[in-house]
Amino acid sequence: MTIALYPGSFDPITNGHIDIATRASRLFDKIVIGIFSTPDKRITFSIEERVDLATRAVAHIANIEVKSYTGITVDFARQIKAQVMVRGLRMSADYEREFEMAMLNRKLYPELELVCFMASQEYQFLSSSLMKEVASLGGDINSLVPKHVAEALKNKGVSK
Ligand code: ADP
């Protein structure tokens, strides 16, 4: 059984993340969306809220689970017995960062294979932070996040 870890901060989950998780769920037996729990002032949603929003977003896909973790990502990968780490690649800046992290992760956990998915064209420029900026300026985010995430952004006062 191939278990793939899809890690990130998911603050909150967007349609871009869901697209990657969905595509990965067709290739691997089990996907664990690992949400990094770190005290960071720039984070909008608490770890419980982020887990809840992501869980609801992928509830229709049987082989995707959502879990939070602290500490080093590769340690969490080992703990859940993941053989694969999934990441999404948008523009070239993502590539450079992923390459750097992949080299370091390989040193820490050589058996873990990184599989990067090219972002779909419609989500190429979508990040949680940009989406929140659009939302706070009154822009329409309905094509960027699921309905319940748009609701949560309203309740947080991020969007009107
Ligand atoms: P991090 O907190 O690691 O910067 P995120 O939590 O935003 O990243 O995202 C987790 C993973 O999902 C990363 O691999 C990121 O590149 C990818 N990702 C984020 N948004 C998109 C998108 N719109 N399309 C494809 N991949 C994405």
Side-chain angles (χ1 to χ4, degrees):
M1 169 146 143
T2 308
I3 300 172
L5 169 65
Y6 178 29
S9 36
F10 301 95
D11 183 43
I13 194 160
T14 67
N15 288 346
H17 294 127
I18 297 167
D19 179 56
I20 299 295
T22 305
R23 287 160 58 196
S25 76
R26 298 184 193 123
L27 282 187
F28 305 112
D29 298 308
K30 185 170 140 189
I31 306 294
V32 176
I33 294 181
I35 308 189
F36 184 52
S37 167
T38 175
D40 186 333
K41 279 204 206 87
R42 288 163 301 176
I43 294 279
T44 306
F45 292 96
S46 72
I47 186 63
E48 292 80 16
E49 289 169 330
R50 283 181 280 149
V51 167
D52 175 62
L53 293 173
T55 304
R56 287 160 66 192
V58 295
H60 59 290
I61 306 172
N63 63 337
I64 306 184
E65 242 178 66
V66 181
K67 287 185 172 157
S68 64
Y69 71 97
T70 52
I72 298 175
T73 301
V74 290
D75 286 346
F76 180 60
R78 221 186 240 115
Q79 195 187 311
I80 63 165
K81 300 186 167 37
Q83 302 95 324
V84 174
M85 178 146 104
V86 163
R87 297 284 287 173
L89 287 186
R90 285 159 296 183
M91 41 247 124
S92 58
D94 267 356
Y95 170 79
E96 308 220 329
R97 195 163 144 259
E98 290 304 328
F99 194 82
E100 212 172 68
M101 276 199 300
M103 292 302 108
L104 186 65
N105 286 341
R106 188 167 290 170
K107 282 242 174 289
L108 301 171
Y109 185 178
E111 299 80 20
L112 186 70
E113 201 55 71
L114 175 70
V115 175
C116 290
F117 286 76
M118 294 296 167
S120 295
Q121 210 166 351
E122 65 261 50
Y123 305 128
Q124 195 62 241
F125 297 99
L126 173 59
S127 66
S128 297
S129 53
L130 205 59
M131 180 278 295
K132 285 186 282 189
E133 206 173 312
V134 170
S136 71
L137 295 170
D140 183 5
I141 51 161
N142 287 310
S143 61
L144 307 179
V145 294
K147 239 190 184 133
H148 70 278
V149 174
E151 277 299 309
L153 285 160
K154 228 183 245 169
N155 294 339
K156 270 272 167 205
V158 174
S159 62
K160 293 181 193 85

